[in-house]
Amino acid sequence: MAHAQQGRSGRRGRDETAEERADRMWQELIQEVRVAQTGVQILFGFLLTVVFTPKYEELSDTDQAIYIITVVLGACATGALIGPVSLHRLVAGRSVKPQAVRWASRLTLFGLVLLLATTCAALLLILRVATRDGCFVPYLVAGVVAWYLLCWFVLPMWTRHRHTAP
């Protein structure tokens, strides 16, 4: 439909009840979370193996600290992005889907922020090791952070602001 229509609730948009809206939003959220979960779990899995390689002992104290921070961020991101599944399972059938969708959405957004931090910290560590502390590494990482912020947050928020009716 080219234009919004009056819904059953009296608001413009889809013709759906609050429960139908919560069901639809839950399905959309779970599809989004599946993508992020896969990425964070693969990254976290690789991070967990680094400490068991001979190269780990050769890392400087700074690089080992970056590694530890990266692993903790990865663990937190994994928890936040798996959280919506646990939330849904524990509240299923309790007639709180709209509230569960809101909390799951918040967990997902927080998980994406943690995933951004994990990815950038991992990139920082990898580039420091690969370039032997190249002085340009922080600038490369800052550029990647800016790109992620643009793709993951700025563009979506601009689209939301630009195309949402008052």
Side-chain angles (χ1 to χ4, degrees):
M1 209 177 259
H3 58 81
Q5 67 185 57
Q6 200 75 14
R8 286 182 236 171
S9 65
R11 296 185 328 196
R12 297 181 63 80
R14 295 176 186 256
D15 187 20
E16 57 190 4
T17 65
E19 292 82 15
E20 290 168 338
R21 182 171 193 267
D23 287 341
R24 177 181 54 80
M25 290 181 70
W26 182 260
Q27 290 303 317
E28 291 173 0
L29 179 67
I30 288 304
Q31 290 301 322
E32 295 163 2
V33 168
R34 282 186 181 131
V35 172
Q37 279 178 346
T38 301
V40 74
Q41 288 170 336
I42 290 169
L43 176 59
F44 188 54
F46 281 123
L47 285 171
L48 292 177
T49 65
V50 170
V51 74
F52 299 107
T53 65
K55 181 82 172 170
Y56 182 78
E57 290 299 322
E58 298 172 19
L59 294 177
S60 69
D61 290 344
T62 300
D63 289 338
Q64 287 185 1
I66 293 170
Y67 170 75
I68 290 167
I69 291 167
T70 304
V71 168
V72 170
L73 286 169
C76 292
T78 301
L81 290 170
I82 293 174
V85 174
S86 176
L87 176 67
H88 182 263
R89 189 53 23 226
L90 292 172
V91 302
R94 305 273 183 201
S95 301
V96 294
K97 186 164 268 181
Q99 295 84 359
V101 168
R102 277 195 297 279
W103 279 106
S105 181
R106 290 174 185 152
L107 276 172
T108 302
L109 185 59
F110 190 58
L112 289 174
V113 170
L114 289 167
L115 179 56
L116 173 109
T118 304
T119 304
C120 292
L123 181 64
L124 175 64
L125 179 60
I126 289 166
L127 292 177
R128 282 177 54 91
V129 171
T131 63
R132 302 191 199 331
D133 281 338
C135 60
F136 58 90
V137 167
Y139 301 106
L140 286 174
V141 174
V144 171
V145 169
W147 176 247
Y148 282 177
L149 290 172
L150 178 69
C151 294
W152 292 8
F153 300 104
V154 174
L155 183 59
M157 292 304 292
W158 176 83
T159 302
R160 179 179 173 173
H161 173 75
R162 177 85 168 98
H163 299 288
T164 301

